[in-house]
Amino acid sequence: MKVKFWGVRGSIGTPMKGPGIREKVQKILSYASPGDVLDDSSIDRFLDSLPFSLLHTYGGNTTCLELRSKKNELVIVDAGTGLRELGNKILVEDNFLQGRGECHMIFTHSHWDHIQGVPFFGPMYIPGNRFQIHAISEDIEGRLRYQHSERHFPVPFDGLLASKEFIQHAEGDSWQVYDINITQKALRHPGTSYSYRFEEDGKVLIFGTDAEFKLEDMDGIDEYLEYFRNADVLIFDTQYTFEEQLQRIDWGHSSASIATDIALKSGVKKLVLFHHDPSYNDEKLDEVYLRAVRYKEMMDPSGESELEIIMAYEGLEIEL
């Protein structure tokens, strides 16, 4: 099983602007010495030494994941703006351009940042392609159709000419997609969001975005700790810093420190910080990551836990 991140932002897309690019270039040049620009190899060495936030960007697209089974079968989880670029990729690399593509799509909930890529998803416009669309949120078809109302978008939902089968699941259901077993659990979020636990060949990937866990809740979350228990990869909502979360009670999101506590208590192997706040630039996200790592070291001073913490960015691939 393999996962690739196509959208990692929460709430709204945040494209990088010219001044942000200029600021990165200025900082890079301020770090360079004459020896760093002598030739191509010295330039490459210098660039490789820079922090992630200077040389790259975490990305500005909203939530979308590409999940591949061991047989390379495609599952798409959520359909934020990152879905557009994923669609362009599978048109070229899979059989969707020829109208022979097949895919399962799974929705955590229907807030805009998780569905707004659907109108721009090229493969869904091509007759012959087949999509099985799974959700626990009530009437996912109606919710997607409403997004295509003529008041919101010029192409009606029926203009998406691919075959679309909607599969409504109930809370507590488990099911199988290809050879991947899927279970799920409701999360605290306005309107309710659902976490999914994907298991294949003994490997476990959990996607737990749009979830609010507060400090005062931490003594009463045993059922969630059991659900997260020993996951190989836990992708978790860390939209806010701990201090900012205290000012945004009931907004439906968590912090990196809360996520780290949960991961340590449940024996998670790899924690992926996800659903980045749209107001955070790359430098701020570097800070969020470093604070999470320091917090993990403080909470696990003996180093007994094997927990690895990483920050989600567009293009990140993890193989389980």
Side-chain angles (χ1 to χ4, degrees):
M1 187 163 49
K2 181 165 63 176
V3 62
K4 182 172 182 178
F5 294 75
W6 291 88
V8 300
R9 289 280 173 174
S11 303
I12 191 169
T14 54
M16 179 170 286
K17 299 177 182 178
I21 297 173
R22 180 184 178 90
E23 183 179 340
K24 284 178 183 281
V25 173
Q26 286 178 324
K27 287 186 177 180
I28 290 172
L29 292 177
S30 72
Y31 292 152
S33 67
D36 292 323
V37 293
L38 290 174
D39 51 36
D40 288 345
S41 60
S42 62
I43 291 173
D44 285 339
R45 283 194 300 272
F46 169 63
L47 293 177
D48 290 341
S49 72
L50 295 172
F52 184 93
S53 60
L54 282 183
L55 193 58
H56 303 278
T57 179
Y58 288 99
N61 281 303
T62 59
T63 303
C64 182
L65 303 183
E66 173 189 3
L67 188 64
R68 294 280 179 169
S69 73
K70 62 184 178 183
K71 298 178 182 177
N72 202 41
E73 296 147 325
L74 175 62
V75 179
I76 296 173
V77 186
D78 278 346
T81 59
L83 182 67
R84 185 186 69 84
E85 291 185 28
L86 171 55
N88 293 340
K89 176 214 174 195
I90 64 177
L91 281 173
V92 174
E93 297 183 5
D94 293 84
N95 295 315
F96 289 91
L97 187 60
Q98 295 78 28
R100 300 196 305 271
E102 179 181 324
C103 172
H104 289 262
M105 300 182 74
I106 299 176
F107 286 88
T108 59
H109 62 309
S110 63
H111 285 167
W112 282 335
D113 51 334
H114 297 258
I115 67 170
Q116 62 197 164
V118 172
F120 305 94
F121 184 44
M124 206 170 265
Y125 284 86
I126 298 175
N129 289 332
R130 295 184 297 157
F131 295 89
Q132 290 185 294
I133 300 171
H134 304 258
I136 304 161
S137 301
E138 184 179 80
D139 188 23
I140 189 64
E141 179 178 1
R143 298 180 189 211
L144 295 179
R145 281 186 176 277
Y146 183 66
Q147 185 175 217
H148 281 260
S149 162
E150 63 181 7
R151 295 183 176 184
H152 305 310
F153 194 72
V155 181
F157 190 72
D158 290 335
L160 303 178
L161 300 177
S163 169
K164 299 176 290 297
E165 178 186 359
F166 292 88
I167 304 170
Q168 187 72 49
H169 300 278
E171 283 193 36
D173 281 355
S174 59
W175 68 94
Q176 190 171 49
V177 168
Y178 307 122
D179 290 327
I180 301 173
N181 294 310
I182 302 173
T183 54
Q184 39 81 11
K185 194 167 186 60
L187 299 170
R188 180 179 178 182
H189 187 72
T192 309
S193 178
Y194 294 90
S195 169
Y196 293 98
R197 181 182 176 108
F198 303 93
E199 299 186 48
E200 183 184 41
D201 283 352
K203 297 294 185 179
V204 175
L205 167 72
I206 299 178
F207 186 49
T209 189
D210 291 64
E212 182 171 11
F213 287 86
K214 296 180 289 188
L215 185 62
E216 58 266 32
D217 299 331
M218 293 303 287
D219 290 332
I221 61 169
D222 289 348
E223 61 177 306
Y224 286 100
L225 295 180
E226 191 58 37
Y227 173 74
F228 296 136
R229 183 76 59 200
N230 296 328
D232 294 280
V233 176
L234 171 61
I235 303 165
F236 200 84
D237 182 336
T238 57
Q239 180 154 331
Y240 304 129
T241 64
F242 180 75
E243 295 81 5
E244 288 167 341
Q245 187 188 13
L246 295 177
Q247 302 169 11
R248 292 168 170 80
I249 300 298
D250 296 330
W251 285 31
H253 300 285
S254 297
S255 66
S257 54
I258 292 291
T260 302
D261 278 332
I262 289 173
L264 286 169
K265 289 180 178 180
S266 54
V268 168
K269 298 178 180 67
K270 188 188 300 286
L271 171 66
V272 184
L273 310 183
F274 186 78
H275 207 265
H276 309 321
D277 191 270
S279 68
Y280 292 2
N281 61 19
D282 291 321
E283 189 173 8
K284 177 63 176 285
L285 290 174
D286 268 358
E287 178 188 339
V288 169
Y289 167 70
L290 291 172
R291 288 180 64 179
V293 171
R294 288 195 294 267
Y295 182 77
K296 184 261 181 184
E297 293 170 349
M298 181 178 69
M299 300 304 293
D300 180 35
S302 63
E304 292 181 4
S305 171
E306 297 180 358
L307 175 66
E308 176 188 6
I309 301 175
I310 62 176
M311 181 71 79
Y313 61 86
E314 288 180 26
L316 172 65
E317 295 185 57
I318 301 174
E319 188 160 0
L320 286 74

